[in-house]
Amino acid sequence: MANEASTHGHHSATKRIWTVFVILSVITLVEVILGIIKPKILIETTFIYLHLLNWIFIVLTIVKAYYITWAFMHMEQEAKGLRRSVVWTVVFLIAYLVFILLTEGDYIYEVYNNGYVTWDF
Amino acid sequence: MEATVVRTGTEGKTWGGGSKSPLKASYGKMMMWYFITSDALTFSAFLAAYGFSRFKFEDSWPIADEVFSHFPFLHGVDAPMYYVALMTFILIFSSVTMVLAVDAGHHMKKGKVTLYMFLTIIGGMIFVGSQAWEWKNFIQGEYGAVETRGGNIIQFVDKEGERVALSDIAKVLPQERVEHESKNGLWFVEDDSSLPTYSLEEIKKGFQESDYLVRTQKLNKDGAKTILSRAESLAVINNQTVRVVEGANLTRNEYGRPLFADFFFFITGFHGFHVFSGVIINIIIFINVILGTYERRRSYEMVEKVGLYWHFVDLVWVFVFTFFYLV
């Protein structure tokens, strides 16, 4: 996949750009439609602390992020070292940050809810 | 100088730092990637902080669909998210024209680079304008609300559960309302700059004479806001209310948790600032393209570098869209 676009010449490069545009548009459309109708089954099913619908949104977002980074930012054509130093740094640090902050947020929610102090007076 | 260079005997190897650059990218492009890395961490810190606050108030967070329901020229029509979706498309499309410009640059086609850069700049400007419009609606507010002693926001609905604006409730009373001015003592107290359209007394009186109900911020099992019975509503209105809230600012907002407005202003504002600076940088590069700077340089790599930044702005918006409007 790496150098396909540059070796196949101008035509296939622009074709790939439009393909990716269609993919991104379709994903966005699906997100918006799901966001508006909010299917009941997806909201009622909870999977690892979140509604299934929210997981679908998050996964679709990551797919979009992949296409933007790989195709539009030409990450697929960069050297492996550069790719990893950027992507792995971001992915692991964000995963860590999100994990600790959301865990802490949930803990504070419990304190507000079950503590001896009333917050609504 | 020569004496300070340490010879390791690995000069020929990649890790010896010899003639080859290990990341096979020019200095400028590599540093653009690392700038983007650090900027991505800044944005993820904002979004993670948003997640933190949202988990903290999980059962009373505003519902984005209800907050962002405007569309240009469609007054009074409930259009949840249509406008943000349109903004997302505009930004994705400007990303496409940007990558087409980069591609044309690879083939040294000055005319095409000019055209696509121009379209990208236009797309960026439309996006920033749309965001300004979104801010205006958010700041102005729609229905208005009342704040309770505990700092909670209560909103009003009719029997069918449809939202009711303050103007429908308020009974105009013959009373004189005076705006606090700093010359009348307590000059250091900066209260809300202007009086709300209706006084709390007018809302109370009007509510008592109507059959409207109070809607609290608490989410019920279906993920909708809890609506109190008429008796409970009256009790809340008579005993707990302290002020009328219209629109949103950094201290209080009619949509619910003040933190929601804070994060909205902070995150979309910071992103909007990125789009704005992206447009400025694009314009600079656009002028250079027209002047033929890159033609003389025999390389359009500057277009590629500014393109990286532009795509990054799009990338961030994809996440903001998901976590602020969808989830």
Side-chain angles (χ1 to χ4, degrees):
Chain A
M1 195 161 81
N3 283 313
E4 227 172 87
S6 52
T7 49
H8 279 214
H10 190 52
H11 187 66
S12 69
T14 40
K15 201 180 151 198
R16 173 151 168 80
I17 293 169
W18 288 111
T19 321
V20 171
F21 171 63
V22 169
I23 294 172
L24 292 176
S25 303
V26 168
I27 293 178
T28 309
L29 216 59
V30 168
E31 280 182 338
V32 171
I33 291 170
L34 279 179
I36 289 172
I37 56 174
K38 290 190 177 152
K40 239 187 155 49
I41 326 159
L42 295 179
I43 287 188
E44 281 163 1
T45 327
T46 306
F47 177 72
I48 324 184
Y49 299 110
L50 281 182
H51 299 315
L52 207 52
L53 185 65
N54 286 357
W55 279 114
I56 291 174
F57 286 147
I58 291 169
V59 168
L60 288 179
T61 305
I62 291 171
V63 171
K64 277 207 280 191
Y66 165 81
Y67 275 110
I68 291 174
T69 323
W70 254 248
F72 284 178
M73 298 168 97
H74 300 301
M75 196 48 135
E76 58 196 4
Q77 288 161 32
E78 299 293 347
K80 199 186 269 175
L82 179 59
R83 197 161 66 219
R84 288 182 178 173
S85 68
V86 171
V87 177
W88 289 11
T89 309
V90 167
V91 166
F92 287 121
L93 280 176
I94 291 177
Y96 174 59
L97 186 68
V98 167
F99 168 72
I100 49 174
L101 279 185
L102 293 190
T103 311
E104 183 69 10
D106 191 49
Y107 167 73
I108 293 177
Y109 170 78
E110 293 298 328
V111 171
Y112 276 0
N113 232 13
N114 307 325
Y116 293 107
V117 180
T118 176
W119 298 92
D120 189 10
F121 37 85
Chain B
M1 203 54 210
E2 196 67 36
T4 59
V5 176
V6 182
R7 301 226 155 252
T8 56
T10 56
E11 282 80 11
K13 307 278 188 190
T14 301
W15 57 85
S19 54
K20 274 197 288 182
S21 68
L23 298 181
K24 296 189 186 69
S26 72
Y27 177 76
K29 199 160 126 186
M30 184 183 78
M31 291 322 269
M32 180 53 94
W33 268 115
Y34 290 136
F35 165 69
I36 287 172
T37 306
S38 69
D39 218 15
L41 291 172
T42 309
F43 269 110
S44 57
F46 283 156
L47 284 173
Y50 172 80
F52 168 81
S53 301
R54 188 165 169 175
F55 268 44
K56 190 163 122 184
F57 297 119
E58 213 188 343
D59 55 359
S60 57
W61 200 250
I63 301 168
D65 282 11
E66 294 178 354
V67 179
F68 307 102
S69 58
H70 298 271
F71 200 88
F73 310 116
L74 292 179
H75 288 288
V77 178
D78 185 43
M81 274 184 330
Y82 294 174
Y83 194 56
V84 213
L86 181 69
M87 281 165 69
T88 310
F89 275 115
I90 291 168
L91 204 58
I92 289 179
F93 196 74
S94 82
S95 235
V96 170
T97 53
M98 187 76 232
V99 75
L100 286 171
V102 172
D103 188 57
H106 284 157
H107 299 273
M108 303 297 292
K109 288 180 181 154
K110 185 182 162 186
K112 274 194 166 177
V113 178
T114 314
L115 172 71
Y116 288 134
M117 284 294 288
F118 180 72
L119 291 176
T120 309
I121 292 166
I122 297 298
M125 283 174 170
I126 296 176
F127 184 85
V128 177
S130 308
Q131 230 169 20
W133 191 77
E134 186 101 331
W135 271 47
K136 186 215 84 185
N137 284 329
F138 188 78
I139 292 170
Q140 231 169 31
E142 194 176 6
Y143 297 104
V146 169
E147 191 181 312
T148 67
R149 247 186 346 239
N152 289 319
I153 288 292
I154 53 172
Q155 297 160 334
F156 302 100
V157 292
D158 60 18
K159 275 182 176 156
E160 279 78 46
E162 293 291 319
R163 290 285 301 276
V164 178
L166 289 183
S167 53
D168 299 330
I169 300 169
K171 183 182 167 66
V172 180
L173 298 174
Q175 60 183 182
E176 201 178 328
R177 300 169 67 205
V178 184
E179 188 152 3
H180 172 77
E181 286 175 66
S182 53
K183 67 176 184 190
N184 300 327
L186 294 185
W187 52 270
F188 49 88
V189 177
E190 234 181 282
D191 207 4
D192 300 320
S193 54
S194 58
L195 288 169
T197 324
Y198 304 100
S199 73
L200 189 58
E201 290 312 312
E202 289 173 326
I203 300 293
K204 272 187 182 175
K205 187 86 178 135
F207 187 83
Q208 285 156 0
E209 289 172 8
S210 71
D211 58 352
Y212 294 137
L213 303 172
V214 160
R215 197 175 86 144
T216 67
Q217 289 302 303
K218 277 264 177 283
L219 293 165
N220 59 24
K221 281 222 158 48
D222 301 326
K225 300 285 181 191
T226 313
I227 296 171
L228 302 180
S229 70
R230 178 70 188 160
E232 289 169 330
S233 300
L234 276 174
V236 171
I237 283 290
N238 290 334
N239 306 324
Q240 293 190 22
T241 50
V242 287
R243 72 166 60 77
V244 174
V245 180
E246 282 175 318
N249 55 41
L250 288 171
T251 14
R252 43 182 67 98
N253 78 73
E254 63 163 63
Y255 310 103
R257 295 277 168 206
L259 272 174
F260 179 80
D262 297 347
F263 277 111
F264 175 78
F265 289 131
F266 215 149
I267 294 177
T268 64
F270 200 59
H271 177 263
F273 177 66
H274 273 75
V275 180
F276 175 72
S277 54
V279 169
I280 298 291
I281 299 169
N282 272 345
I283 289 175
I284 294 171
I285 301 296
F286 177 66
I287 292 170
N288 275 340
V289 170
I290 292 178
L291 293 177
T293 310
Y294 308 124
E295 203 66 33
R296 282 194 295 281
R297 223 180 256 181
R298 302 303 305 152
S299 161
Y300 276 90
E301 209 197 44
M302 279 310 284
V303 177
E304 203 170 331
K305 280 180 243 176
V306 76
L308 281 180
Y309 182 70
W310 191 255
H311 295 311
F312 169 69
V313 168
D314 182 27
L315 184 67
V316 169
W317 181 254
V318 164
F319 281 91
V320 173
F321 176 61
T322 300
F323 292 112
F324 226 96
Y325 296 92
L326 288 176
V327 168

